[in-house]
């Protein structure tokens, strides 16, 4: 992309007056400040939700009730899932979008800066409700992150707090998505066509449309839950003629595109990192764009593969089985294109590259176990076992979370002007990768042996693999402290990064100083047309 620019972007606005201190962060409409707030909020929620997971694994270290009572165990698993998805993974990717999308398309800022500020500051309010629900009478919601009735109809005030928090998080997501769509479509640098955009921008454009499409569906279904709880309706209450399975259909119509909302930006990050450290253009750019669009489209017609055991007719099971398996095609295109990008490249293995390579290997394992679960007869056996837990953690941790870590290491020199400590980065990577596999790979065997998920106690034959998983989880949690140390150390100082610390990087943000000026592109860079 940089080779196509007709001139370097001016570094304007470096000394322009803007608020300092706490007021800067409260009132800022600058996309970099808001991106930074999103990323720090995400990291805080990541550690909180991770600490809940470590309590879960401490309870499961041995058979028998060790630390917490069953109702508290259910609260821990429920809030771990909700906070990790809505408080850690999604805000992190929105933070990347805020930081990088304007820089990558040559825009001065996001299209709606004030809306951007509001989008972020809704998050701490929602997080307060979720975390505060632990102190409500009876404790936090304990009905699972999927919020299935009848448990979510019968629970106490913590369930109302959870529903309100999800509403607020949804409003924030929709506002952020609208902002991203308008920014990408209207504020690209002159001459930059859609097919000249970096793939990270493409993945976020498609993700934003997914958010706008499905977050209102979630809002509707949890509002129906709320009216069942307090206003005498019976949408999902079987005692009043309602249908709890209808909730599952509506929820998963949101829930499956939500999985891709959490993975498509990861595809964009990996597709940015690999060409940089392979020192080659991304292989098959156009097919990658179409693959992302295909995955987004197919995500709307596979939702009921989560529901094979609810008694749906065989014709429905066949349809959702085949459409689920079809998603493997565009996903396979992406994996083959990433491998082709590496083929005969001048590879170096800095920390971001290590995370990107681990993403390809481990996410592919998660994809294969998803194909296993797509098969109706197999899924009926494995439904609600630890095999499912292993599958979605291989997708969401090694997929979403590890791509976020790789993205942080990749852009941290640009954001701070300092190089991170490479030894700390690599130590973090290897400990995380080893601990992750130690934690979640044994869960495949537990699931195949029939261990149900969401239980605080289990039979003796599951003890050995659970002990290995718990030891891995403790190591995984501890290794994230190294990540925090590496980030803080980089922010506080270190070797100067220079404007282009990675010699293979060629997107527009690398034409700016490190760190970028407060107002990045006072005059948009002109992009030369592509020569066919």
């Amino acid at each position: 992309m940089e080779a196509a620019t007709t001139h370097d972007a001016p570094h304007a606005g470096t000394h322009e007056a803007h608020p300092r201190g706490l007021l800067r962060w409260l009132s800022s409409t600058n996309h970099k400040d808001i991106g930074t707030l999103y990323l720090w909020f995400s990291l805080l929620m990541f550690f909180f939700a991770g600490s809940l997971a470590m309590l879960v694994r401490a309870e499961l270290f041995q058979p028998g009730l060790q630390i917490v009572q069953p109702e508290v165990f259910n609260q821990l698993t429920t809030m771990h899932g909700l906070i990790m998805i809505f408080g850690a993974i999604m805000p992190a990717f929105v933070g990347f979008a805020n930081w990088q999308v304007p820089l990558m398309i040559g825009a001065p800022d996001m299209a709606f800066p004030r809306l951007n500020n509001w989008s972020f500051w809704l998050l701490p309010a929602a997080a307060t409700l979720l975390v505060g629900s632990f102190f409500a009478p009876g404790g936090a919601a304990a009905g699972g992150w999927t919020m299935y009735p009848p448990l979510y109809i019968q629970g106490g005030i913590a369930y109302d707090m959870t529903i309100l928090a999800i509403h607020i998080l949804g409003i924030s997501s929709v506002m952020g998505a609208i902002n991203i769509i308008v920014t990408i479509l209207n504020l690209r640098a002159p001459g930059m066509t859609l097919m000249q955009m970096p793939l990270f921008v493409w993945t976020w454009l498609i993700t934003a449309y997914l958010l706008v499409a499905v977050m209102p569906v979630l809002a509707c279904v949890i509002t129906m839950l709320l009216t069942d709880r307090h206003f005498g309706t019976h949408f999902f209450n079987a005692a009043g003629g309602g249908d709890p399975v209808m909730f599952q259909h509506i929820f998963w119509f949101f829930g499956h595109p939500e999985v891709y909302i959490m993975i498509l930006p990861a595809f964009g990050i990996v597709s940015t990192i690999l060409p940089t450290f392979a020192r080659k253009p991304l292989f098959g750019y156009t097919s990658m764009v179409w693959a992302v669009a295909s995955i987004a489209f197919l995500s709307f017609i596979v939702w009921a593969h989560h529901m094979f055991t609810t008694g749906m007719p065989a014709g429905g099971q066949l349809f959702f089985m085949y459409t689920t398996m079809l998603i493997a095609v565009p996903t396979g295109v992406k994996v083959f294109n990433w491998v082709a990008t590496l083929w005969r490249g001048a590879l170096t293995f800095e920390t971001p590259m290590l995370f990107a390579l681990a993403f390809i290997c481990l996410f592919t394992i998660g994809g294969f176990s998803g194909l296993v679960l797509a098969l109706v007869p197999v899924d009926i056996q494995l439904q609600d076992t630890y095999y499912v837990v292993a599958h979605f953690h291989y997708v969401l941790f090694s997929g979403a979370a590890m791509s976020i870590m790789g993205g942080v290491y990749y852009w941290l020199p640009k954001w701070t002007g300092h190089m991170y400590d490479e030894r700390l980065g690599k130590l973090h990577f290897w400990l995380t990768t080893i601990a992750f596999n130690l934690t979640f790979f044994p869960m495949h065997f537990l699931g195949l042996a029939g261990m149900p998920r969401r239980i605080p106690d289990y039979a003796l034959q599951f003890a050995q693999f659970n002990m290995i998983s718990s030891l891995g989880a403790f190591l995984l949690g501890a290794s994230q402290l190294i990540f925090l140390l590496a980030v803080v150390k980089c922010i506080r100082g270190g070797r100067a990064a220079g404007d282009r610390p990675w010699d293979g990087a060629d997107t527009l943000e690398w034409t700016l100083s490190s760190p970028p000026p407060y107002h990045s592109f006072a005059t948009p860079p002109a992009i030369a047309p592509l020569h066919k």
Side-chain angles (χ1 to χ4, degrees), residues 103-155:
L103 296 184
M104 287 179 142
I105 64 173
D109 207 308
M110 298 294 280
F112 304 119
R114 291 178 189 274
L115 190 71
N116 209 14
N117 177 284
W118 191 23
S119 297
F120 171 75
W121 284 109
L122 287 172
L123 296 184
T128 303
L129 281 169
L130 284 175
V131 175
S133 67
F134 278 104
F135 304 100
W145 80 270
T146 51
M147 301 182 278
Y148 282 0
L151 291 177
Y152 266 76
I153 297 174
Q154 299 163 351

Side-chain angles (χ1 to χ4, degrees), residues 196-425:
Q196 283 178 278
M197 296 193 310
L199 204 73
F200 177 77
V201 180
W202 258 114
T203 55
W204 245 114
L205 178 63
I206 292 168
T207 300
Y209 276 111
L210 285 178
L211 278 166
V212 171
V214 301
M215 291 310 291
V217 176
L218 177 65
C220 287
V221 79
I222 61 176
T223 302
M224 292 159 82
L225 266 185
L226 205 60
T227 61
D228 274 11
R229 286 172 57 80
H230 297 295
F231 299 106
T233 59
H234 297 285
F235 292 112
F236 312 123
N237 187 351
D243 183 5
V245 175
M246 182 173 75
F247 177 91
Q248 295 190 35
H249 277 291
I250 303 171
F251 177 85
W252 286 114
F253 187 80
F254 147 80
H256 205 77
E258 169 68 13
V259 172
Y260 294 100
I261 286 165
M262 291 188 285
I263 204 65
L264 292 184
F267 291 168
I269 291 172
V270 169
S271 299
T272 304
I273 293 172
L274 289 177
T276 297
F277 296 101
R279 290 160 184 83
K280 280 177 60 187
L282 182 68
F283 182 89
Y285 170 90
T286 304
S287 64
M288 292 287 263
V289 171
W290 282 106
V292 175
S294 303
I295 290 168
F297 170 75
L298 289 170
S299 73
F300 285 102
I301 57 172
V302 298
W303 76 88
H305 66 212
H306 298 270
M307 301 169 55
F308 284 151
T309 57
T310 58
M312 73 170 67
Q317 291 179 331
L318 280 171
F319 172 82
F320 288 108
M321 179 173 76
Y322 290 144
T323 52
T324 301
M325 294 171 75
L326 193 60
I327 283 193
V329 176
T331 308
V333 168
K334 302 188 76 60
V335 172
F336 281 118
N337 283 11
W338 287 326
V339 172
T341 302
L342 298 172
W343 181 252
R344 294 190 174 179
L347 304 183
T348 53
F349 298 98
E350 289 85 351
T351 305
M353 183 63 155
L354 293 176
F355 274 102
L357 294 172
F359 169 94
I360 296 172
C361 298
L362 299 176
F363 175 77
T364 302
I365 292 173
F368 277 127
S369 61
L371 275 175
V372 171
L373 292 168
L375 298 166
V376 175
V378 178
D379 182 79
I380 288 170
Q381 294 299 313
L382 297 176
Q383 173 79 8
D384 270 337
T385 68
Y386 263 75
Y387 191 93
V388 179
V389 178
H391 159 66
F392 68 68
H393 281 91
Y394 267 83
V395 171
L396 286 183
F397 191 94
S398 65
M402 287 180 73
S403 71
I404 289 166
M405 294 168 192
V408 168
Y409 284 115
Y410 181 68
W411 280 301
L412 204 55
K414 174 55 62 179
W415 297 343
T416 64
H418 308 131
M419 289 304 294
Y420 62 86
D421 186 326
E422 191 68 58
R423 287 174 302 173
L424 275 181

Side-chain angles (χ1 to χ4, degrees), residues 22-41:
L22 182 63
L23 184 63
R24 168 185 172 181
W25 299 105
L26 287 172
S27 63
S28 179
T29 56
N30 183 275
H31 72 97
K32 303 181 199 68
D33 287 351
I34 294 171
T36 302
L37 288 169
Y38 268 108
L39 290 167
W40 277 115
F41 173 83

